Amino acid sequence: MKNVYIVKHSLIQDFLSHLRNRKTSLHKFRHYSDRICQLLFFEAIRDLQLQKITLETPLSKTGGVKISDEIIILPVLRAGIAMLFGALYLLPKSKIGFIGLERDEKTAKASQYYWKMPLVTEKSVVIITDPMLATGGSLVHVLRQVAPKNPKRIIVVCVVAATEGIKMVQKEFPRVKIFTAVVDKKLNVTKYIVPGLGDYGDRYFGT
Ligand code: PRP
Ligand code: URA
């Protein structure tokens, strides 16, 4: 699948198994979630734009680089917040937007309850964080609000993505890059990812 990056690092795959395991406690779930999200984010920002700079080492002048992209992290409330800590650890100067979405338990349709976004310019790289991409309805909803603002790039970081959701997103937004630890093939009747890991928000926040 073009523009879908399954990050197969050994640590990520090991952490994913802890997250999938129903016996993993709240405390451990948070522990592995924070770590896997940091590693996934690390991979997702591997090719941010660099600007050349000059600097001096203790011995001589030399060339260096600094990240020149303006980053906006957009966690999708509520579960996307779980990924924010790892992201900010790596890119502490980022601006942060928020979108609050909730899936209806019967129809699995997402409805929005909150939206607050910093100014998006042609220099902005918007990184959407949401650990679960199931039907794709929530992510399409977010992208329909972000894409018309014409940022330089949009990147999505999730933990588990379902084939159905990826297809739905790519039909409308084929150029958006999606980074994930795994792609699961099925959704159940209530549109939960199978095997998945259950409700990410509930497991991370202890609901
Ligand atoms: C989850 C998840 C995504 C959405 C994915 O959120 O965090 O936002 O479902 O499902 P979709 O691809 O079928 O739209 P949920 O609505 O459970 O809310 P929460 O983050 O508050 O737990
Ligand atoms: N949201 C979750 O948290 N888990 C799923 O499997 C699907 C949507």
Side-chain angles (χ1 to χ4, degrees), residues 146-158:
V146 175
K149 297 183 182 298
N150 296 315
K152 183 176 160 191
R153 284 172 66 194
I154 304 175
I155 300 169
V156 174
V157 190
C158 51

Side-chain angles (χ1 to χ4, degrees), residues 101-152:
L101 293 184
E102 190 163 29
R103 287 198 329 170
D104 183 287
E105 283 186 10
K106 289 205 182 81
T107 63
K109 294 258 178 314
S111 61
Q112 183 173 321
Y113 58 87
Y114 192 73
W115 170 254
K116 189 74 92 178
M117 192 69 178
L119 183 69
V120 178
T121 72
E122 72 282 359
K123 289 187 185 156
S124 306
V125 174
V126 178
I127 308 178
I128 299 167
T129 66
D130 192 343
M132 304 304 274
L133 170 54
T135 64
S138 302
L139 187 53
V140 166
H141 184 103
V142 180
L143 289 167
R144 281 184 185 158
Q145 294 195 66
V146 175
K149 297 183 182 298
N150 296 315
K152 183 176 160 191

Side-chain angles (χ1 to χ4, degrees), residues 170-182:
Q170 291 202 322
K171 208 168 143 196
E172 200 168 327
F173 300 98
R175 287 174 46 219
V176 169
K177 290 188 175 176
I178 300 172
F179 290 81
T180 184
V182 72

Side-chain angles (χ1 to χ4, degrees), residues 2-14:
K2 196 166 172 252
N3 285 340
V4 177
Y5 300 87
I6 304 171
V7 190
K8 292 200 167 143
H9 191 289
S10 313
L11 268 180
I12 292 182
Q13 296 307 316
D14 179 284

Side-chain angles (χ1 to χ4, degrees), residues 79 103 132-134 187 191-194 196-202:
R103 287 198 329 170
M132 304 304 274
L133 170 54
L187 298 180
K191 304 295 182 191
Y192 271 77
I193 302 173
V194 180
L197 50 75
D199 189 304
Y200 205 100
D202 285 0

Side-chain angles (χ1 to χ4, degrees), residues 10-107:
S10 313
L11 268 180
I12 292 182
Q13 296 307 316
D14 179 284
F15 294 168
L16 174 66
S17 297
H18 287 282
L19 294 177
R20 282 198 194 274
N21 190 341
R22 66 183 304 161
K23 292 186 181 149
T24 300
S25 65
L26 167 66
H27 168 74
K28 289 281 182 195
F29 190 90
R30 253 186 218 153
H31 170 89
Y32 290 112
S33 169
D34 291 348
R35 272 147 197 80
I36 201 171
C37 292
Q38 195 174 315
L39 293 173
L40 287 165
F41 202 84
F42 181 76
E43 187 60 26
I45 59 171
R46 105 175 357 251
D47 60 357
L48 288 181
Q49 189 166 323
L50 298 173
Q51 179 191 329
K52 286 190 177 154
I53 55 167
T54 51
L55 54 91
E56 283 180 38
T57 74
L59 302 179
S60 78
K61 274 196 175 171
T62 187
V65 291
K66 68 172 188 180
I67 290 174
S68 58
D69 281 327
E70 292 171 7
I71 311 296
I72 298 176
I73 304 168
L74 178 57
V76 182
L77 307 180
R78 160 192 67 153
I81 286 279
M83 306 183 81
L84 182 60
F85 312 115
L88 280 179
Y89 182 78
L90 296 177
L91 292 173
K93 290 189 204 157
S94 306
K95 293 183 176 169
I96 304 169
F98 292 97
I99 182 163
L101 293 184
E102 190 163 29
R103 287 198 329 170
D104 183 287
E105 283 186 10
K106 289 205 182 81
T107 63

